[in-house]
Amino acid sequence: MRRGHPAAAAFGLEVWLAHPHVLVSGQGATRGALDEALARLGRSRRVGVVVPSFLLVPPLLAGSDLIALLPGRTLPADPQGRFVDFAPPIQVPGFPLHLAWHARRDGDVAVRHVAALVQAVLAEGGDKPGGHR
């Protein structure tokens, strides 16, 4: 969330759920892992906007009272201190990450190399890719 966000002063589940959220979904889904975790508690959140990429989230947060649940590796460098981050007030399972390329590129050494690098970086952080291609 942006620095100065009303939820930052007393962050907790109730405050977190009182504000609209950004949901990142490449398929345009309006529910995700967080919504499933909340449903198990008999709770729900209000999704204010759905975007297809994590790259679109920081500008949305900077100019609004939206809140986003993001993987730590997607948090942007923030030398101006525009954002604050908190651990989510409930446990949220991870999600699968898929690497994809066109079938014509299956034999491309460069594509395979980059895919292996991405997989290695994610594995170092404890995140497990959900598959490839």
Side-chain angles (χ1 to χ4, degrees):
M1 67 185 73
R2 67 174 173 78
R3 184 167 300 286
H5 189 290
F11 188 75
L13 182 60
E14 297 304 319
V15 172
W16 193 46
L17 295 177
H19 295 276
H21 290 235
V22 177
L23 173 62
V24 178
S25 172
Q27 295 83 28
T30 57
R31 292 180 52 85
L34 172 57
D35 300 290
E36 292 170 15
L38 287 168
R40 284 191 292 278
L41 299 174
R43 305 300 304 270
S44 65
R45 68 173 170 167
R46 183 169 33 120
V47 174
V49 64
V50 177
V51 295
S53 168
F54 292 112
L55 296 173
L56 299 171
V57 175
L60 289 170
L61 297 181
S64 72
D65 282 345
L66 290 164
I67 292 176
L69 177 68
L70 303 171
R73 290 180 181 263
T74 67
L75 295 174
D78 187 25
Q80 297 88 17
R82 298 175 302 156
F83 303 105
V84 293
D85 62 273
F86 300 92
I90 62 169
Q91 285 285 86
V92 181
F95 58 90
L97 178 63
H98 304 275
L99 301 177
W101 55 86
H102 194 282
R104 287 190 307 248
R105 297 291 182 201
D106 277 348
D108 189 321
V109 175
V111 169
R112 295 274 181 188
H113 176 71
V114 170
L117 289 174
V118 170
Q119 248 178 332
V121 165
L122 293 175
E124 286 173 14
D127 301 326
K128 302 291 183 217
H132 59 40
R133 199 166 100 116

